[in-house]
């Protein structure tokens, strides 16, 4: 708790350009949750270097992501929006928690297995201990809730295990966090393969709508979206996964229900439906894109958010860190 509010922590990696899936499934929920919780939203740049990055590109994307957090509606006066690498406690706590995490646990993580097969030439120790750094992110702020996608649930379970293990030895040091899985836009699928989720690291640019795509690009990608030969707009996950995905996107962008959408397009062709879905996405993203453009002109403002919020995060996280250091037996600091 901070004051009388529960604490929320979440983060995103600055690898690749954000997609409509990231926005509808994560960022938009974050904004709604920021009314209720004391929020820490980090750009987790330290996690990004588990895979080789071009330094200039990583820096550019990290700033673009931080800007997008604000453009999406997160108020940097109310939420703490900051770069993970600017707060030293993440690395310091991660080291300690490494000593409370088992090799067996880490080797069962599916993300590690996936990423090590994708990057077989660079299976580094950071990739292996990635979930421990994530646990440190969450536990440093004594987070009560963590909004994550289903793919991150295994890491969150591990975080809970580490916290409980530590607490069992040293008393109630860490809050044991609960996951929060949003309902709306929980899973937006690829436009080219509706069995795969839309992902910012997809190699096919037509599979994803990027948040900064211009209207023509968005309309073109929807026109090319994979559908089926049924020929009617209906919500049938087995037979029409592509159409279901387009219905979900349309609902998320217009606020209409599935039933309303199916009724609206009854008797109409896929071409017309795709055009309407595309237009709803263009309208949904327009204010976001305008806000990004406006913020990008205001370098001093973004710089001040970066500085002030890192200081706030450092202050809050230090409290947990000092307590943990004391518990494990590090010598007291002399003032
Ligand atoms: P990558 O391709 O680099 O693995 P990603 O696009 O899958 O990235 P993450 O960085 O893993 O995205 O996730 C950031 C947040 O966006 C998470 O909370 C995740 O659940 C959410 N998210 C990602 N893809 C989707 C999607 N297709 N639909 C809904 N939410 C999504
Ligand atoms: N692993 C997450 C990003 C992430 C995160 C976190 C999410 C890093 N630290 C702490 C929630 C809480 C991802 O790749 N989506």
């Amino acid at each position: 708790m901070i004051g009388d509010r529960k604490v929320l922590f979440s983060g995103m990696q600055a690898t690749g350009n954000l997609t409509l899936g990231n926005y509808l499934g994560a960022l938009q929920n974050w904004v709604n949750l920021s009314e209720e919780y004391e929020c820490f939203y980090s750009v987790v740049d330290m996690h990004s270097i588990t895979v080789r990055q071009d330094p200039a590109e990583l820096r550019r994307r990290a700033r673009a992501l931080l800007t997008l957090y604000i453009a999406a509606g997160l108020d940097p006066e109310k939420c703490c929006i900051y770069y993970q690498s600017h707060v030293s406690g993440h690395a310091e706590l991660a080291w300690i928690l490494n000593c409370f995490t088992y090799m067996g646990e880490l080797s069962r993580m599916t993300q590690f297995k996936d990423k090590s097969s994708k990057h077989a030439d660079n299976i580094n120790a950071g990739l292996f201990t990635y979930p421990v750094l994530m646990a440190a992110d969450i536990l440093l702020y004594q987070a009560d809730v963590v909004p994550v996608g289903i793919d991150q649930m295994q890491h969150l379970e591990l975080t809970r295990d580490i916290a409980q293990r530590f607490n069992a030895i040293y008393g109630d040091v860490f809050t044991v966090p609960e996951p929060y899985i949003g309902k709306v836009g929980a899973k937006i699928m690829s436009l080219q393969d509706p069995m795969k989720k839309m992902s910012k690291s997809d190699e096919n640019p037509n599979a994803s709508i990027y948040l900064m795509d211009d209207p023509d690009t968005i309309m073109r990608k929807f026109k090319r979206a994979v559908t089926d030969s049924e020929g009617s707009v209906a919500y049938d996950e087995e037979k029409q996964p592509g159409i279901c995905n387009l219905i979900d996107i349309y609902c998320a962008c217009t606020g209409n229900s599935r039933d309303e959408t199916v009724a609206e397009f009854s008797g109409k062709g896929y071409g017309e439906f795709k055009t309407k879905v595309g237009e709803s996405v263009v309208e949904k993203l327009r204010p976001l894109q305008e806000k990004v453009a406006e913020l990008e002109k205001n370098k001093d403002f973004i710089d001040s958010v970066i500085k002030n919020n890192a200081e706030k995060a450092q202050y809050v996280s230090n409290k947990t860190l000092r307590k943990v250091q004391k518990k494990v037996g590090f010598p007291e600091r002399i003032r």
Side-chain angles (χ1 to χ4, degrees):
M1 300 286 264
I2 295 186
D4 58 355
R5 304 219 305 168
K6 287 194 170 178
V7 177
L8 178 155
F9 185 97
S10 203
M12 266 192 222
Q13 292 201 53
T15 37
N17 295 319
L18 253 59
T19 69
L20 186 65
N22 298 129
Y23 184 59
L24 298 177
L27 208 45
Q28 197 172 248
N29 283 323
W30 290 9
V31 177
N32 296 334
L33 290 163
S34 67
E35 295 294 319
E36 193 181 334
Y37 294 94
E38 188 72 31
C39 297
F40 293 83
Y41 290 123
S42 187
V43 172
V44 290
D45 48 356
M46 290 163 68
H47 278 103
S48 299
I49 63 162
T50 51
V51 174
R52 211 55 83 222
Q53 303 287 339
D54 173 66
E57 188 62 7
L58 177 59
R59 225 183 316 275
R60 186 190 68 73
R61 284 187 167 152
R63 189 165 174 115
L65 183 55
L66 188 129
T67 306
L68 207 55
Y69 283 5
I70 303 171
L74 295 174
D75 179 351
E77 291 287 323
K78 292 191 189 138
C79 312
C80 192
I81 296 170
Y82 72 99
Y83 294 132
Q84 182 188 33
S85 63
H86 283 192
V87 178
S88 58
H90 291 259
E92 293 179 77
L93 183 62
W95 171 253
I96 297 174
L97 297 183
N98 264 320
C99 305
F100 291 84
T101 309
Y102 299 116
M103 300 287 283
E105 288 176 312
L106 292 175
S107 49
R108 283 196 290 276
M109 295 292 123
T110 53
Q111 181 176 300
F112 171 69
K113 291 189 224 167
D114 285 355
K115 290 211 174 166
S116 46
S117 66
K118 265 195 212 153
H119 304 276
D121 55 339
N122 182 20
I123 307 178
N124 60 70
L127 198 59
F128 191 62
T129 60
Y130 176 113
V132 184
L133 179 59
M134 179 162 161
D137 298 341
I138 297 166
L139 300 179
L140 257 186
Y141 299 91
Q142 306 287 357
D144 296 278
V145 287
V146 182
V148 279
I150 294 163
D151 58 317
Q152 295 297 315
M153 273 301 282
Q154 200 186 22
H155 291 164
L156 197 64
E157 282 300 329
L158 179 68
T159 303
R160 289 168 55 86
D161 290 343
I162 296 171
Q164 281 160 345
R165 185 173 303 150
F166 196 94
N167 286 352
I169 306 173
Y170 300 105
D172 271 344
V173 177
F174 293 124
T175 302
V176 180
E178 298 288 339
Y180 174 95
I181 307 247
K183 286 169 212 72
V184 182
K187 206 163 182 192
I188 302 297
M189 309 310 278
S190 153
L191 298 185
Q192 291 298 313
D193 176 359
M195 305 315 280
K196 260 187 11 193
K197 76 164 192 162
M198 187 182 282
S199 160
K200 55 180 142 68
S201 56
D202 201 309
E203 275 152 25
N204 181 354
N206 289 322
S208 306
I209 300 292
Y210 298 108
L211 297 182
M212 292 301 133
D213 276 350
D214 60 54
D216 288 348
T217 307
I218 294 174
M219 296 306 289
R220 182 171 42 77
K221 287 183 180 177
F222 277 105
K223 280 207 184 88
R224 289 190 189 168
V226 168
T227 51
D228 51 65
S229 52
E230 296 288 320
S232 73
V233 178
Y235 204 91
D236 182 334
E237 278 170 286
E238 292 258 305
K239 289 200 200 128
Q240 301 181 262
I243 290 293
C244 289
N245 188 38
L246 297 182
I247 293 176
D248 284 341
I249 292 174
Y250 189 69
C251 292
C253 292
T254 56
N256 294 354
S257 69
R258 282 178 187 169
D259 289 347
E260 283 166 344
T261 305
V262 170
E264 182 180 347
F265 294 100
S266 106
K268 301 209 170 122
Y270 286 173
E272 186 177 346
F273 176 51
K274 286 175 165 183
T275 302
K276 286 283 188 200
V277 179
E279 284 168 0
S280 75
V281 172
V282 168
E283 286 318 310
K284 180 82 178 169
L285 296 184
R286 190 191 305 281
L288 184 74
Q289 296 182 348
E290 284 171 1
K291 189 79 194 162
V292 167
E294 187 189 317
L295 286 166
E296 277 173 349
K297 283 190 222 134
N298 204 340
K299 181 176 180 298
D300 291 349
F301 170 69
I302 299 286
D303 285 349
S304 75
V305 169
I306 291 171
K307 180 169 179 292
N308 297 340
N309 279 327
E311 283 169 5
K312 179 178 169 197
Q314 183 82 36
Y315 176 79
V316 175
S317 61
N318 257 342
K319 288 193 190 171
T320 305
L321 187 65
R322 295 288 171 259
K323 197 166 166 188
V324 171
Q325 289 171 329
K326 195 170 169 192
K327 290 284 184 186
V328 297
F330 292 171
E332 297 260 9
R333 279 156 204 261
I334 313 288
R335 286 170 197 278

